[in-house]
């Protein structure tokens, strides 16, 4: 909650009276990292991206197959997978064919979209932009430097990206990429506050404070 005011030196400024911190739901990652994958698959199935998969079927697929759901739906597990699929209530051969036809349009991007949804911090537009830009290499790119999310989507904020990076993508507190992202965050915040220069000691103190969070 706040208002726009005219600063005598820096011009229009947003004066904040009250703010609310929003924490990203990251979930509890398992030892093999499967938790994020299951979340991403479930979110993708419930997103209406795949024709023929409604809420009930999405729940049934998640409960029966977990992170395997997409690969089984694509037919990657052969006749055995198909037989198991057709045991689900409301799923016959005709509907399965329709679902597989719908999945084909996501060919090459399905895994990327599932991964993006599993991060838990991106809007529909953001995940589509990320997967569309990096294609099949999306997961590899983000895992190599999770803080690139902050570069592509500054509105996420450092704390959100940092939480996702450390909880889901195995980022370490001492990673160089994390320090660089904190530095850019502090510089960006200073710019938004109307500064065009920040004394080195003050900047480093700010970076250290951010990294301690």
């Amino acid at each position: 909650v706040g208002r726009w005011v005219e600063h005598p030196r820096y011009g229009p400024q947003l004066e904040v009276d009250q703010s609310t911190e929003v924490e990203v739901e990251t979930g509890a990652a398992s030892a093999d990292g499967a938790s994020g994958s299951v979340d991403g698959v479930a979110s993708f199935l419930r997103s209406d991206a795949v024709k023929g998969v409604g809420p009930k079927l999405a729940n049934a697929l998640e409960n029966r197959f977990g992170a395997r759901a997409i690969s089984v739906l694509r037919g990657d597990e052969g006749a055995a997978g198909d037989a198991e699929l057709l045991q689900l209530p409301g799923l016959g051969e005709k509907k399965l064919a329709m679902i597989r036809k719908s999945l084909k349009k996501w060919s090459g991007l399905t895994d990327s979209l599932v991964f993006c949804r599993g991060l838990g911090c991106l809007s529909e537009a953001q995940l589509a932009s990320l997967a569309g830009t990096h294609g099949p290499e999306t997961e590899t790119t983000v895992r190599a430097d999770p803080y690139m999310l902050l570069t592509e989507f500054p509105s996420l904020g450092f704390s959100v990206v940092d939480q996702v990076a450390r909880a889901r993508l195995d980022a370490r507190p001492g990673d160089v990429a994390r320090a660089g992202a904190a530095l850019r965050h502090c510089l960006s915040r200073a710019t938004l506050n109307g500064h065009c220069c920040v004394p080195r000691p003050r900047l480093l103190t700010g970076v250290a404070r951010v990294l301690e969070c």
Side-chain angles (χ1 to χ4, degrees), residues 118-141:
L119 296 176
C121 65
L122 301 177
S123 67
E124 293 294 316
Q126 288 170 334
L127 69 88
S129 173
L130 188 64
T133 299
H134 299 282
E137 299 300 316
T138 300
E139 181 171 358
T140 301
T141 301

Side-chain angles (χ1 to χ4, degrees), residues 43-58:
S43 179
F44 179 69
L45 291 174
R46 295 191 183 97
S47 68
D48 297 327
V50 183
K51 187 177 181 181
V53 178
K56 290 184 179 180
L57 182 54

